[in-house]
Amino acid sequence: MKKILLTTLCALMFSVASQAQSQDRLPFAKDKFYTSASLSGFDLNWNKSQSWHADVAAKCGYLFEDDWMITANVDYDWHKQGDNVLMAGAGIRYYIEQNGLFLGAGANYLHNPQFDDFMPTVQLGYAYFLNRTVTIEPELYYNLSLKDHTQYSGFGFRIGIGIYFE
């Protein structure tokens, strides 16, 4: 029994020591790059002018300071009825290191065959690390339309997979 206990204790100490050595840098450290792909829609977001649709987005970013990231994104929003939408934008994120939450703000240019719009956006999300570099990122967002606030502004839920690399 003493040998099993001693072996288990040694294995635990070695695993803790190796974990401490492999995570010498913070997950949201300066000079890391980020890329992401996400899905939204599927009736998980809402505004008055839309029917069922699906939104596919790609995002990239750069951590210019610890916990601060600048981002660029491109979204394609497919609609079952009506016109499809292409959106491009830029933003900034702040990560709360202790729990993986992030707060984001940005601006998007939306192109629809019927009209163009400028949409400021805010996000609240969570970066759940599957390993040292890959995350699953659920996110709540709100887009504010400057063309017609009551018709085109909306909130929603997005889920994506992110990769952080140096």
Side-chain angles (χ1 to χ4, degrees), residues 110-132:
L110 180 139
H111 174 71
N112 182 320
Q114 305 300 320
F115 65 90
D116 292 335
D117 197 358
F118 181 76
M119 301 183 93
T121 183
V122 293
Q123 306 100 22
L124 170 65
Y126 178 69
Y128 177 77
F129 279 85
L130 298 175
N131 60 25
R132 291 189 68 218

Side-chain angles (χ1 to χ4, degrees), residues 58-98:
K59 186 178 286 189
C60 63
Y62 174 71
L63 283 143
F64 63 94
E65 283 293 326
D66 287 352
D67 304 328
W68 288 94
M69 179 191 293
I70 55 172
T71 61
N73 63 290
V74 175
D75 295 35
Y76 182 74
D77 197 357
W78 174 84
H79 293 264
K80 184 176 180 181
Q81 298 173 351
D83 297 320
N84 298 335
V85 175
L86 182 63
M87 190 168 21
I92 190 164
R93 273 188 185 178
Y94 175 73
Y95 289 91
I96 301 170
E97 194 77 43
Q98 293 83 0

